[in-house]
Structures are given as structure tokens and as C-alpha cells.
Amino acid sequence: MAQYIIRRIFVFIPMLFILTIIIFSLAKAAPGDPFTRNIDSSVDPEVYEQQREALGLNDPLPVQYFHWLGGFVTGDFGESLQYKGRSVESIVGERATNTVYLSLFALFITFIFAIPIGLYSARNPYSMLDYTATTFGFLGLAIPNFFFGLVAIYVFSINLGWFPAQGSVSGNTEGIARIWDRLHHLVLPGFTLGLAGIATYMRYVRSEVMDIMESDYIRTAKAKGMSESNILYKHTLRNALIPIITLLGFELGILLGGAVITEQVFNYPGLGSLFIDSIVNRDYPVIMAINLLLGTTILFGNLLADILYSFVDPRIRYD
């Protein structure tokens, strides 16, 4: 296993290199620069030109790329063009913590609801709950995140007052009170972000479990008198999780990407809102750092999925 992980990490190096080229090219292909939006007609254009020269924006693109790549290798992403005097890694690091909390909470919500509902629907097909779950699945995939978020704010924040409508924490709470306060703020954005995941994984679990329950080895286990719960959890669910794990590596990146819209709706101070602000202000160093973080997360998510395969399916070995 250790050798396999090391080999995969070495494979990541050329993939990361290609990813940096794509991210840099897309950022530079965007029209304008950090000064385009804030140009003051009363200021001499020569001043802006001097600032562009000082920031290296007039250098040839290959020079700019290798300068940025060198900083990335050494862990220095430069300074933000929007937040003067602050390093990119410090700004992204502050916001990344909140986004990680939100993404993990949404992932937890996804699996804690999707797997039990999917199992029940598979064991009781065409029942009332199965039809209800199917309807919910279609609605969960059809309703955009921002619309569900706005409805959740209107119902649960404005009308009922159960949950806060924005932010990540409130007040200066400490200890256990701060943890509960953060969880209280995570409920609405977490459910909003995890809604599509619940609908998707619920349908996957239902479909996989129903297929496996018709397999010959399940019939054999039943004929031998094995208990229903043992068949379900030891044989059926374990095999049904294999395609679910395949999607897990991409789900991490999807959650981080989906947080862009969700965080804007709930005014949640994470990477998503920072990403939108950086795009509006042409803050290229921050934009490229966030994109690189998302891409790296997907790569390591796929590695995590491969490792989990060996625990779920004993036939898979990486020796």
C-alpha cells in the first residue's frame, strides 16, 4: 500500500504541472487586469502603467508563469492585489478553514441521509417512502442550490427564526459554546450544499443494493440461513459502496466548487465568497491559488478513493 501511495504521489507531479498551466492560462485569458475596474480618469494613465510594470503584468506570459510557478513550489503565492500587503496564502488559509467545515458538514449530511434512505427504498421498492424518496431525488437534482438556499433562509431564518441567515459564528463565544454556535450556522448552508449529493447518492445506493440483492451469492447466503441484517450490512451494503467510493474523490471537489454559490447566498466567509470577490477585482494571484487548491483536492480525493477500495473490496490489493 505504501509503495502504491508513493507511486501515485509521483504521478501527481506532472498532473499538477499541467494543472498549473491550465489555471494560469485561464486566468490570463480573462479580459482586463486589476486596474481595469478602478481606473480614475483624473489619474495620469502613466501611473497605472508604472504600477503594472512594478507588478510584472507587462512581462511576457512565460516569464509571469515561471515566476508564479517558482513561488508555488516554494509555498509563496505572492501578495494579493486586492488586499494590499497581505500574502495570498494567509488570505486563502483564513477562508479555507470555514469552507472545509462547511464541506465536511455537507458530506456528513449527505451520507447520513442518503445511505439509510437508499437502503430502505431498496428493501421496500415501490412503497410510499420509496416513491417519496424518488420524488425528493428528482427535486434535489432539479432545484438549484441558490434557490433552495433562499427558500431555506425565508422559512427557517426569517419566518421561524430557528437558524441564522448568514455568517459562520456570532459573538465572542469560546469553548463548547463556540462549537455549537458554528454548527448552528452550518445547518442551513450545509443542507443547501449537500442537497444534490443526498439526492444523487440515495439513488445510487438504491440501485446498487437492488442489483446486488438479486445476485447468486446473496441467494446462496439466504439459502444457508444467514440473517437478514448480516446479508444486508456485511455483503450487500459493502459491495454497494464500491461505486459510491468512486464518486467520493470527485465529491470533495464538487463540494468545494459548489460552495462558491452557497457561500454567496448565506454570506458565509469562505473560499467561495473570496473567489467571487477576487474575480470581480481581477485579483489573479488569489484566483489561481484557489483554483490550484480545488484541483489538488480532487487529485488527492481520487487517491483517497483508491485507498478506501482496499478496505471495502478485499479483492483489490495494491501490493
Side-chain angles (χ1 to χ4, degrees):
M1 175 67 74
Q3 293 181 351
Y4 172 77
I5 294 175
I6 293 173
R7 288 199 304 268
R8 284 293 302 268
I9 291 175
F10 277 112
V11 172
F12 284 167
I13 296 176
M15 296 179 68
L16 277 176
F17 177 71
I18 296 173
L19 184 63
T20 59
I21 295 176
I22 295 174
I23 290 172
F24 180 85
S25 301
L26 290 176
K28 292 301 179 181
D33 57 35
F35 304 103
T36 302
R37 186 170 176 267
N38 300 313
I39 288 181
D40 188 345
S41 58
S42 62
V43 178
D44 189 346
E46 186 64 27
V47 174
Y48 291 113
E49 195 61 30
Q50 291 175 358
Q51 292 180 333
R52 290 189 181 94
E53 188 68 33
L55 293 172
L57 299 178
N58 291 335
D59 294 339
L61 290 181
V63 174
Q64 294 186 46
Y65 168 73
F66 283 107
H67 177 75
W68 174 70
L69 182 64
F72 162 66
V73 172
T74 59
D76 180 14
F77 290 91
E79 290 188 358
S80 168
L81 303 179
Q82 178 183 359
Y83 303 95
K84 303 296 184 181
R86 295 195 60 189
S87 64
V88 171
E89 53 267 26
S90 67
I91 298 172
V92 173
E94 288 178 2
R95 299 293 192 94
T97 303
N98 286 334
T99 298
V100 168
Y101 288 147
L102 177 59
S103 298
L104 291 179
F105 185 82
L107 194 63
F108 173 76
I109 290 297
T110 296
F111 286 108
I112 201 174
F113 281 94
I115 293 178
I117 295 175
L119 280 174
Y120 186 89
S121 295
R123 295 184 65 185
N124 302 275
Y126 314 114
S127 63
M128 181 60 68
L129 181 61
D130 183 36
Y131 284 122
T132 303
T134 301
T135 303
F136 168 78
F138 286 123
L139 291 176
L141 294 174
I143 297 176
N145 273 4
F146 71 88
F147 180 79
F148 181 81
L150 293 174
V151 172
I153 290 174
Y154 178 76
V155 175
F156 297 104
S157 293
I158 297 176
N159 286 349
L160 299 177
W162 290 355
F163 303 102
Q166 60 181 0
S168 60
V169 290
S170 58
N172 297 317
T173 55
E174 297 293 340
I176 298 298
R178 185 173 182 83
I179 295 176
W180 283 113
D181 183 47
R182 183 177 289 277
L183 288 174
H184 195 215
H185 282 77
L186 283 174
V187 172
L188 290 186
F191 269 97
T192 300
L193 186 58
L195 177 65
I198 294 173
T200 300
Y201 284 98
M202 179 190 66
R203 301 303 300 166
Y204 267 104
V205 171
R206 180 185 184 277
S207 176
E208 289 296 323
V209 170
M210 289 184 68
D211 287 342
I212 293 173
M213 289 178 68
E214 297 298 324
S215 301
D216 291 337
Y217 70 91
I218 297 296
R219 295 194 186 97
T220 302
K222 290 180 179 179
K224 289 182 176 181
M226 186 175 291
S227 65
E228 190 73 21
S229 61
N230 202 2
I231 292 174
L232 180 64
Y233 295 109
K234 186 175 180 180
H235 296 285
T236 305
L237 180 59
R238 188 170 182 176
N239 290 327
L241 288 179
I242 294 175
I244 305 300
I245 291 176
T246 304
L247 299 174
L248 178 61
F250 296 99
E251 184 69 15
L252 297 176
I254 292 173
L255 286 175
L256 292 177
V260 172
I261 297 176
T262 303
E263 290 180 4
Q264 284 293 105
V265 172
F266 290 92
N267 195 23
Y268 187 84
L271 286 179
S273 55
L274 176 63
F275 188 64
I276 296 296
D277 292 341
S278 300
I279 291 175
V280 172
N281 292 282
R282 298 344 191 251
D283 196 346
Y284 295 130
V286 175
I287 294 172
M288 293 188 291
I290 294 176
N291 277 315
L292 190 60
L293 177 62
L294 295 178
T296 305
T297 301
I298 294 176
L299 291 178
F300 278 98
N302 289 326
L303 173 61
L304 177 62
D306 288 345
I307 294 174
L308 290 176
Y309 279 147
S310 63
F311 293 99
V312 175
D313 191 345
R315 297 171 298 178
I316 298 176
R317 289 291 179 267
Y318 297 116
D319 296 335

